[in-house]
Amino acid sequence: MNIAFLASEVAPFAKSGGLADVSAALPAYLGRRGHDVRLFMPLYSTLNIPAETELVPVEYLHHLPVALGPHVHHFSVFTGKLPGSEVDVYFIGCPALYDRDRLYTGDWDDHLRFSFLTQAALKCCQHMGWAPDIVHCNDWHTALGPLYLKSTVAWDRGIFGNARSVLTIHNIAYQGWFSAETIGNLGLDGWAHMLHQEDLARGMVNFMRNGLMWADAITTVSRTYAKEIQTEAYGNGLEGLLRQRSSRVVGIVNGVDYSIWSPEVDPRLPRNYGVDDVEEGKAECRRYLLEQLKLPTEPEAPVLGIVSRLTAQKGFELIREGLGQALRYLNVKLAVLGSGEAGLEEYFLGLERQFPTKVCFYRGYSDELAHLIEAGSDLFIMPSRFEPCGLNQMYSLKYGTVPIVRKTGGLADTVQLFDRRTGEGNGIVFEHYDQAGFTWALRTALELYQDQEAWATMRRNGMLADYSWDRQGAEYEKLYGLLTR
């Protein structure tokens, strides 16, 4: 199949979250399977270009115009290979829109920046003479793609006559709300009747809602999240539309790139290990992690790990009571990597000041430290209020680090509560979003840590789980096949 894949961020070139990882790994998988995948993203001035990647100008995609109402912007395209694959990435260059110090600026012209990306990608297909079978759009930034296919470019039957659209929701909390006055700037002047009319009556345009209305298939990043977003509690106002289109909604758990996230091959670890030597491997990684964080390695103690954006979504309000009790009365240590809301940063800084021999908080992000925390921790904490998919719990399973999670979204799909009687399960799961739930989960985990046989079984179950893209990507292939047959 010919697959046009549109995304606002792609690792390693530009990344703010899990969207970038998926937008690299899924096209790479599809490319390995023999599909013609062409990946479109902005040529940000802040791009991270790996040494092995050469960007080459595409001569016939130079200085092409896109009219957005009174605004006419021109773009030129550079191309390079997605690292570790033969997939071509097409970088849409338009300095007026993409020369910013951040990917997402919140500036007045965000609607232009990303509707332009979507329209420029479709124009590239036309100038290439390349007819996509699938146009796969991601989150609000490219969510107008399904609408454009049925409006502004529908006349070009030779290129788009057989194209089917897929819109993936990575996080429904972000929808792309703009004033209805922007319609002219979106190139949709003649197609306002195809937009959501109630939003227009309120003077607004919602990129995500309009994409969901017209997409041939809607996917999201876990089976449980696909159900949750059809409820008032999780749908952020789009639940009614999603229920109406429920036959088109599919949940597919994100995959993990085990060439990057596996303790057997991870170059950042002081020692690699697998299922058969996990005890020795994790012991060495634990010592090394504590040394790097300048925490004492003796007496030996279970290490709790956190790698996260520090936001309300992540549920850290739940951990205060249980974590405080554990640090105060038990022999445990805590390694935290993250940044975000000032109140949460101050909370972890406060723990570090209160328990200087037990807690280290690294404010910011370090890829090396993220890998070390996964390998050197015994337990990984993810008490999310909601979690569309989550990747760290799957990394943790592979590294033999038992996840403590709340039963929501992708966490519910990938972590099962361990049952001592049957030996089934791979982590600790609590259901209710309250401090008592997390306190129970942490206490249960630390009790299991003392039972060497049960702990080894639970850890082994997690390490043997397969959440690779070879498995998850096949679900997308199946969906594409259903759409195009």
Side-chain angles (χ1 to χ4, degrees):
M1 287 179 279
N2 292 345
I3 302 165
F5 199 95
L6 284 58
S8 60
E9 56 183 81
V10 179
F13 305 112
K15 176 177 176 177
S16 72
L19 168 60
D21 295 317
V22 177
S23 298
L26 177 55
Y29 164 82
L30 294 167
R32 290 195 301 272
R33 293 283 295 162
H35 303 291
D36 185 351
V37 187
R38 305 190 186 186
L39 183 51
F40 298 90
M41 68 171 292
L43 183 67
Y44 297 112
S45 59
T46 55
L47 279 185
N48 171 46
I49 307 296
E52 69 272 20
T53 301
E54 180 184 4
L55 297 193
V56 178
V58 183
E59 293 183 5
Y60 62 92
L61 299 176
H62 177 69
H63 203 63
L64 300 179
V66 173
L68 301 174
H71 306 275
V72 178
H73 289 290
H74 292 80
F75 71 94
S76 297
V77 176
F78 291 76
T79 188
K81 295 294 184 184
L82 184 66
S85 81
E86 291 303 310
V87 171
D88 289 314
V89 184
Y90 293 88
F91 297 89
I92 307 297
C94 181
L97 297 178
Y98 302 130
D99 280 9
R100 311 286 170 90
D101 60 357
R102 290 173 294 150
L103 305 187
Y104 310 123
T105 64
D107 291 343
W108 71 272
D109 62 349
D110 264 2
H111 64 291
L112 289 177
R113 298 177 74 221
F114 295 109
S115 63
F116 181 89
L117 165 65
T118 309
Q119 293 187 77
L122 297 177
K123 180 162 280 196
C124 284
C125 295
Q126 292 173 307
H127 281 259
M128 292 171 177
W130 180 72
D133 300 299
I134 298 291
V135 177
H136 193 146
C137 303
N138 292 273
D139 269 352
W140 75 261
H141 316 92
T142 56
L144 292 183
L147 174 55
Y148 287 136
L149 286 173
K150 290 180 168 61
S151 59
T152 61
V153 299
W155 61 270
D156 193 347
R157 301 288 298 168
I159 298 297
F160 300 114
N162 295 318
R164 298 294 179 266
S165 60
V166 176
L167 174 56
T168 296
I169 305 167
H170 297 265
N171 190 335
I172 205 167
Y174 304 101
Q175 298 179 9
W177 282 99
F178 299 100
S179 166
E181 295 175 358
T182 64
I183 292 175
N185 296 339
L186 302 177
L188 291 169
D189 260 340
W191 290 274
H193 63 283
M194 297 179 71
L195 296 168
H196 190 268
Q197 297 302 299
E198 292 181 20
D199 284 348
L200 288 183
R202 294 194 292 267
M204 302 297 293
V205 173
N206 180 317
F207 276 38
M208 180 70 84
R209 193 195 308 273
N210 287 292
L212 296 176
M213 287 169 56
W214 295 103
D216 294 308
I218 300 162
T219 75
T220 191
V221 290
S222 70
R223 295 182 300 278
T224 296
Y225 194 59
K227 297 174 183 176
E228 288 178 340
I229 59 176
Q230 296 181 53
T231 68
E232 187 175 346
Y234 292 93
N236 287 78
L238 299 181
E239 61 275 4
L241 173 58
L242 288 164
R243 285 196 297 269
Q244 291 172 15
R245 306 213 68 206
S246 60
S247 64
R248 301 276 181 170
V249 179
V250 179
I252 302 174
V253 174
N254 284 339
V256 173
D257 187 344
Y258 288 136
S259 70
I260 297 173
W261 289 98
S262 170
E264 295 178 287
V265 297
D266 193 334
R268 299 164 183 82
L269 307 188
R271 168 179 170 162
N272 294 115
Y273 62 89
V275 174
D276 295 331
D277 61 344
V278 58
E279 192 69 43
E280 299 84 355
K282 285 193 72 68
E284 189 166 332
C285 289
R286 186 189 306 115
R287 283 194 299 272
Y288 185 77
L289 170 66
L290 294 174
E291 288 169 357
Q292 296 302 302
L293 299 180
K294 296 181 170 52
L295 293 174
T297 58
E298 299 293 340
E300 288 193 6
V303 176
L304 315 178
I306 293 173
V307 178
S308 179
R309 288 182 293 113
L310 302 182
T311 66
Q313 172 198 336
K314 298 301 182 179
F316 293 117
E317 64 184 295
L318 305 186
I319 73 176
R320 295 173 186 255
E321 180 180 332
L323 189 58
Q325 290 175 0
L327 289 168
R328 191 170 295 110
Y329 300 115
L330 301 177
N331 181 28
V332 298
K333 293 185 173 69
L334 174 67
V336 182
L337 170 62
S339 62
E341 296 174 9
L344 288 171
E345 291 186 1
E346 184 54 39
Y347 166 68
F348 286 115
L349 284 169
L351 285 182
E352 185 179 62
R353 288 191 292 265
Q354 187 177 0
F355 304 101
T357 62
K358 290 186 171 184
V359 178
C360 179
F361 171 49
Y362 182 105
R363 182 184 179 279
Y365 185 74
S366 160
D367 193 54
E368 180 178 2
L369 184 54
H371 284 252
L372 289 177
I373 289 177
E374 287 290 4
S377 299
D378 300 286
L379 289 158
F380 195 91
I381 296 173
M382 290 185 74
S384 302
R385 179 186 296 273
F386 66 94
E387 194 67 60
C389 179
L391 290 171
N392 276 102
Q393 83 279 10
M394 292 188 278
Y395 301 158
S396 298
L397 292 171
K398 191 66 174 177
Y399 282 71
T401 302
V402 173
I404 299 176
V405 304
R406 194 174 84 81
K407 190 175 182 180
T408 184
L411 303 180
D413 287 354
T414 55
V415 184
Q416 294 78 46
L417 178 62
F418 181 72
D419 186 333
R420 268 196 237 223
R421 296 168 301 168
T422 65
E424 297 177 344
N426 56 12
I428 307 300
V429 183
F430 67 101
E431 187 160 349
H432 300 294
Y433 190 78
D434 53 34
Q435 291 202 40
F438 174 77
T439 300
W440 169 85
L442 181 58
R443 185 183 305 120
T444 300
L446 293 173
E447 288 174 358
L448 277 169
Y449 183 80
Q450 303 303 320
D451 183 339
Q452 293 185 4
E453 183 177 351
W455 189 261
T457 300
M458 176 168 53
R459 189 166 57 187
R460 182 179 180 84
N461 292 346
M463 295 183 75
L464 292 175
D466 180 9
Y467 291 106
S468 67
W469 275 108
D470 286 342
R471 177 182 174 187
Q472 306 308 116
E475 295 294 313
Y476 283 100
E477 281 189 289
K478 180 180 177 182
L479 173 65
Y480 295 163
L482 290 173
L483 290 174
T484 56
R485 71 182 180 187

